[in-house]
Amino acid sequence: MEWLGRANIDFTTSSKPLHLKGKDGKETDLLEICKSAVPPCNLNPLLFNGHAQTMWTAAKAHGPPLHYKRRIFEADHAEFNGSFAVDFAVTDPSAKKEADPSLTPRTAYFSKTELEAMGSDDDRPMLVVLHGLSGGSHEVYLRHAIAPLIDSGKWEACVVISRGCANSKITTGLLYNARATWDVRQTIKWLKKTYPNRPLFGLGFSLGACILTNYLGEEGSATPLKAAVVVANPWALHISSKILQSTVIGHHVYQRVLGNAMRALAMRHKDELEKYTNIDTANLSSLKYLWEFDRAYQCPTWGYPTEEAYYRDASSSDSLLAVRIPLLAINAVDDPIASYLSLPYAEALRNPYTVLCTTSLGGHLGWFEIGGGRWHGKPVCNFLNHMAFEVDLDSISNEVNGVRTSGNPAHGTNFDPMRRKMHVNLNQ
């Protein structure tokens, strides 16, 4: 029973969750680890529903003051070329005073000397983070989740910046979409080569959670990541979009806020869009809602006939079936943006590698506690620390339930959760 902000917590996973072994030799499983990592969810009772929790994120609380150094990568994808940015969390105290006014707060570019010196044989765990729609490494919800790991002195982390976000520049007419897994794939390959002994982990928020889940599904057991967490994933984008458009507050508040953010992002790159695409930027600048932006930009840029076709094709609920590393997914049932109707309960029940943790309260990337803390950072840090330091990572079997496809061989049917309508060269 919910009372004064105390949320109910539920876990959904396979009846036979993934078997794991601790470094001490003790047998355990993924569900037990997730249950031990997720603390009671006691939120601010004044923010009594999902709308209140979600809207309070606009209060612009300062959050933990993390610092970053930015590296620019040239994409190695033939079709989706151009540049993208990755922000690396700064752990050297002497470098925390640096900041470039052209970038997001507390962020500076690596110097040429620093770039040349990148690389190490150390075995510190490293976290690869994906932010939400039009966000960046500066987002408060993101810093609340990773600051305890960085401040512990035991972790390294980097944030893959979606193209054009966080004051990054684009060198083509491409921004990003919910299927844009190529930049995170390239980053992870680079990290594995540059830091060969570091175990890599993933963390995604909102749209970044969707992208990360899609990446994990595409890679299956081939991903270098050892475990991951996705927070507030919208899962079935077409469902969440329909729900938003069906209510007054969803249409005129959330769709409009998200649409304004993407419109502003596009207008910051107006010159590039006019140079490299046939997008009508004057029309783009007049749009109000997110679905309008997706129709005017995402569809012609990527080749989808309608925004609904894009939403269906880029959703990550089916991708969950193909994940082959331990994955903790955290969602609030009262999230007004990532609707509870899109939650992949059935898919989580079919895959022992995944645990879906739902809280009855929390909103979209809210989870505000009394005093301004953010609850979601606790299970994120607890789970990642447990996986990095207490689990024997070599004990993880990548194919517990065999191949990722299903169907009825007697009738010649085959279901592949990663078979998309839009064919994309993943550059794997």
Side-chain angles (χ1 to χ4, degrees):
M1 179 178 179
E2 298 171 10
W3 184 71
L4 291 179
R6 185 180 180 88
N8 297 321
I9 301 176
D10 291 304
F11 298 89
T12 305
T13 189
S14 168
S15 59
K16 295 181 179 180
L18 181 67
H19 173 267
L20 295 168
K21 183 184 292 185
K23 290 183 177 179
D24 59 2
K26 183 179 178 181
E27 304 289 333
T28 185
D29 62 51
L30 182 59
L31 178 59
E32 287 303 312
I33 289 174
C34 290
K35 285 184 174 180
S36 67
V38 177
C41 184
N42 298 313
L43 306 181
N44 189 332
L46 297 179
L47 303 174
F48 52 84
N49 64 18
H51 294 300
Q53 283 279 343
T54 301
M55 292 180 182
W56 194 246
T57 60
K60 304 295 184 184
H62 294 297
L66 286 181
H67 295 72
Y68 300 94
K69 285 291 188 75
R70 177 167 293 186
R71 180 186 179 105
I72 304 300
F73 286 81
E74 290 300 320
D76 60 7
H77 197 291
E79 289 81 16
F80 306 129
N81 58 351
S83 61
F84 65 95
V86 179
D87 289 353
F88 290 77
V90 172
T91 55
D92 180 3
S94 64
K96 291 184 177 181
K97 297 179 181 179
E98 300 178 40
D100 188 320
S102 69
L103 301 180
T104 47
R106 300 173 303 279
T107 304
Y109 287 107
F110 279 111
S111 68
K112 182 178 180 180
T113 302
E114 290 171 327
L115 289 172
E116 293 173 348
M118 294 188 80
S120 172
D121 292 328
D122 69 67
D123 60 358
R124 293 154 63 89
M126 182 150 197
L127 184 61
V128 182
V129 187
L130 278 69
H131 58 79
L133 184 76
S134 73
S137 59
H138 61 289
E139 297 290 353
V140 177
Y141 62 78
L142 185 154
R143 289 185 281 126
H144 267 286
I146 72 171
L149 300 176
I150 302 303
D151 292 343
S152 72
K154 299 178 180 179
W155 284 80
E156 301 285 344
C158 67
V159 182
V160 182
I161 305 299
S162 292
R163 297 196 190 188
C165 292
N167 293 4
S168 65
K169 298 178 181 179
I170 61 172
T171 52
T172 67
L174 292 177
L175 294 172
Y176 60 96
N177 68 14
R179 279 193 63 192
T181 59
W182 29 91
D183 291 347
V184 66
R185 178 175 289 106
Q186 180 177 339
T187 301
I188 290 171
K189 287 180 179 178
W190 182 87
L191 290 170
K192 191 62 182 175
K193 180 180 179 181
T194 308
Y195 303 96
N197 297 324
R198 288 184 179 179
L200 303 178
F201 298 84
L203 172 62
F205 298 93
S206 193
L207 189 74
C210 184
I211 295 172
L212 180 58
T213 306
N214 281 332
Y215 162 80
L216 293 175
E218 291 166 355
E219 293 295 308
S221 60
T223 178
L225 298 183
K226 299 298 184 182
V229 184
V230 290
V231 183
N233 189 341
W235 297 107
L237 301 177
H238 55 295
I239 294 177
S240 292
S241 177
K242 287 293 188 185
I243 295 298
L244 283 179
Q245 293 180 56
S246 68
T247 66
V248 172
I249 192 171
H251 184 63
H252 292 289
V253 177
Y254 300 126
Q255 274 276 348
R256 192 160 190 161
V257 168
L258 297 172
N260 285 342
M262 290 307 296
R263 182 185 63 191
L265 176 66
M267 289 303 100
R268 284 199 294 272
H269 304 286
K270 181 174 178 287
D271 291 344
E272 288 77 13
L273 295 183
E274 292 179 343
K275 180 178 180 180
Y276 297 108
T277 76
N278 294 320
I279 297 294
D280 183 347
T281 55
N283 175 58
L284 210 61
S285 68
S286 68
L287 303 179
K288 297 180 180 179
Y289 306 110
L290 180 60
W291 66 267
E292 289 182 317
F293 177 86
D294 290 335
R295 176 179 292 179
Y297 176 81
Q298 300 289 23
C299 290
T301 301
W302 304 101
Y304 287 105
T306 68
E307 71 273 17
E308 291 293 324
Y310 158 56
Y311 295 152
R312 290 189 295 270
D313 198 47
S315 293
S316 58
S317 46
D318 282 350
S319 300
L320 193 66
L321 294 166
V323 172
R324 289 296 178 269
I325 63 170
L327 175 68
L328 171 61
I330 303 173
N331 282 85
V333 175
D334 68 351
D335 187 331
I337 294 175
S339 171
Y340 76 95
L341 294 173
S342 71
L343 293 177
Y345 290 111
E347 289 75 13
L349 284 170
R350 294 281 297 177
N351 191 347
Y353 291 89
T354 67
V355 173
L356 174 61
C357 171
T358 53
T359 61
S360 58
L361 304 172
H364 190 70
L365 295 175
W367 287 293
F368 286 95
E369 301 171 312
I370 294 176
R374 307 287 282 272
W375 173 84
H376 68 276
K378 297 175 181 178
V380 167
C381 293
N382 291 344
F383 177 78
L384 291 172
N385 276 322
H386 193 108
M387 293 302 301
F389 300 113
E390 298 184 43
V391 170
D392 177 6
L393 297 176
D394 293 330
S395 73
I396 300 175
S397 172
N398 294 121
E399 289 296 347
V400 164
N401 57 352
V403 296
R404 73 185 187 186
T405 59
S406 57
N408 190 331
H411 301 296
T413 62
N414 174 274
F415 176 80
D416 184 347
M418 303 312 299
R419 185 184 293 128
R420 305 288 195 175
K421 297 291 182 65
M422 173 75 76
H423 174 73
V424 173
N425 175 15
L426 298 178
N427 206 29
Q428 291 171 295

